Every structure is written in C-alpha cells, then in structure tokens.
Amino acid sequence: QGLFQAMPPSLRAAFEGLSLGQTWIMLTANYMFAPMFLIVPLMVAIIVASDSFVGEKERRTLEGLLYTPVSDVDLFLAKVLTALLPAVVIDIASFMVMIVAVNAAGYGQMGRLFFPAAPWWPMVLWLGPAVSLAGMGATVLISAKTSTFMQAQQLSGVLVLPIVLLMFGQMSGVLFLGVGVILGLGLLMYLLGALLVWIGARTFSRGELMARI
C-alpha cells in the first residue's frame, strides 16, 4: 500500500483490472525489487577495481607496470576505465537477458509482455553506469591502499548497503524511483564518481606503491 501511494497516478492506472496475482507480478518485477538490479554493475566494478593495484601486487606484476613510461594520472585513469567498461557492458547485457526471462516467466499469468516499466530504462542506461563509476572510484582508491585483493573487496562490499536501503525505501513507500528521481540520483552519482576519480588521480603516487612492494 505504501508503494502504491508513492506511485504517480499515471503508473497506478496500469494496475487497473489486474487480478491479485497479476498485480503482485507487476509490482515485484517492475518496481519493488528494481533497485536490486543496480548491484549487478556495482559488483562488477568492485571486483575488477579491487584487482586493479593490489591484485597486480599479489601476482607480482605491479613492479613492471609501475616502471612503464606513463604518468601517474594516466596509469590511474587506465585502471578506472578497465573497471568501468566491463561494468557498463554487463549492466546492459544482463538487462537484455532479464527482459526475456521475466516476460517468459510471467507471460502465462499476464497474457502479454509487461516488463520493463518506464523507470527501468533510465535506471539501467543512466543510473547503472553512474553507480558503477562511483563504486569503482572508491574501490580503486581502496585497492591502492590495501595489502590483499580480499581485503580490498571486503572493504568495497560496504558500497552495496546504500542500494539495499534504496530497495527497502521503495518497498515501504518512503520514496518512489520514478524517472525524475532516477535521473537526479544518476546525476548525483556521476558527480560523486567524478570527484572520487579526481581525488584518486591527484593523490595516486607510484612511488608510494613501489615502497610497499
């Protein structure tokens, strides 16, 4: 009921005439658990970014990398892009697979294609990459300061908590992730990600890393 009350009237109209089972399918697939999808691009970015520096240190390939004739900023940004690009690709590919799977699973009850609803598109194409950028910026900073890959990954795992809170907020009706809210959150995440990348590029020092090898 809380989610219904927070939902704009234009979206509530899509539930008119649906049975209880159909209403539940529409709510869960299109709205209730939608924020959980953001964990996909975020976790990909975290796993790849966690391996960025500390992983190379554990494989004993970091020393050769640090002696390459590139600037500290270029080296840091290269590590950032290495984590960001796979996250965006897997974000979009997973969404395409999810469209087929969810519609196939619910077609017998719904009798039509019903997924995705309008808020999904900006969430996947705008907010997903933004969350990846912010998570990756934080994780690369952590990876440059930690001693092991597992330590970097465990510390970065805390970044998932805001997404879980976002999901509970929508389920309880505290907020509704409509298109406008998603665009605003995406802009905020892009600004945060850009800030973290800027801080990382400004503070990254291969001399400090070489001293810890």
Side-chain angles (χ1 to χ4, degrees):
Q1 291 299 320
L3 180 57
F4 264 122
Q5 291 171 3
M7 193 179 294
S10 58
L11 293 180
R12 283 203 301 268
F15 291 85
E16 293 180 1
L18 297 182
S19 67
L20 182 61
Q22 291 172 329
T23 299
W24 176 248
I25 290 172
M26 280 282 286
L27 271 179
T28 54
N30 276 317
Y31 303 103
M32 192 175 292
F33 298 112
M36 290 294 287
F37 184 82
L38 295 173
I39 292 179
V40 173
L42 177 60
M43 287 306 299
V44 173
I46 285 176
I47 291 171
V48 178
S50 296
D51 188 63
S52 57
F53 289 111
V54 71
E56 297 231 34
K57 178 182 176 182
E58 290 182 332
R59 293 191 299 271
R60 300 185 183 279
T61 57
L62 181 60
E63 186 172 2
L65 177 67
L66 295 178
Y67 280 115
T68 54
V70 295
S71 67
D72 289 357
V73 172
D74 288 341
L75 181 59
F76 184 86
L77 292 179
K79 287 294 186 181
V80 166
L81 290 176
T82 301
L84 182 60
L85 294 179
V88 173
V89 170
I90 292 177
D91 172 43
I92 297 174
S94 298
F95 181 55
M96 295 296 107
V97 174
M98 188 175 178
I99 290 176
V100 176
V102 171
N103 281 302
Y107 193 85
Q109 283 282 338
M110 302 298 297
R112 60 182 175 85
L113 301 180
F114 62 95
F115 177 86
W120 271 91
W121 296 104
M123 187 177 70
V124 172
L125 301 177
W126 172 254
L127 183 56
V131 167
S132 298
L133 178 65
M136 171 272 311
T139 305
V140 172
L141 281 172
I142 292 171
S143 179
K145 304 295 182 182
T146 51
S147 303
T148 65
F149 170 75
M150 289 302 298
Q151 183 182 3
Q153 192 171 348
Q154 288 169 358
L155 290 173
S156 302
V158 179
L159 300 174
V160 174
L161 290 178
I163 294 178
V164 176
L165 294 175
L166 198 62
M167 184 193 72
F168 281 112
Q170 172 144 301
M171 289 175 63
S172 63
V174 173
L175 57 87
F176 179 76
L177 291 178
V179 173
V181 174
I182 291 173
L183 293 176
L185 283 175
L187 179 59
L188 181 63
M189 288 296 101
Y190 275 117
L191 292 174
L192 177 60
L195 176 63
L196 290 172
V197 171
W198 180 80
I199 292 173
R202 295 277 294 180
T203 60
F204 174 73
S205 170
R206 71 177 67 196
E208 180 182 342
L209 275 179
M210 292 174 67
R212 299 207 308 266
I213 293 178

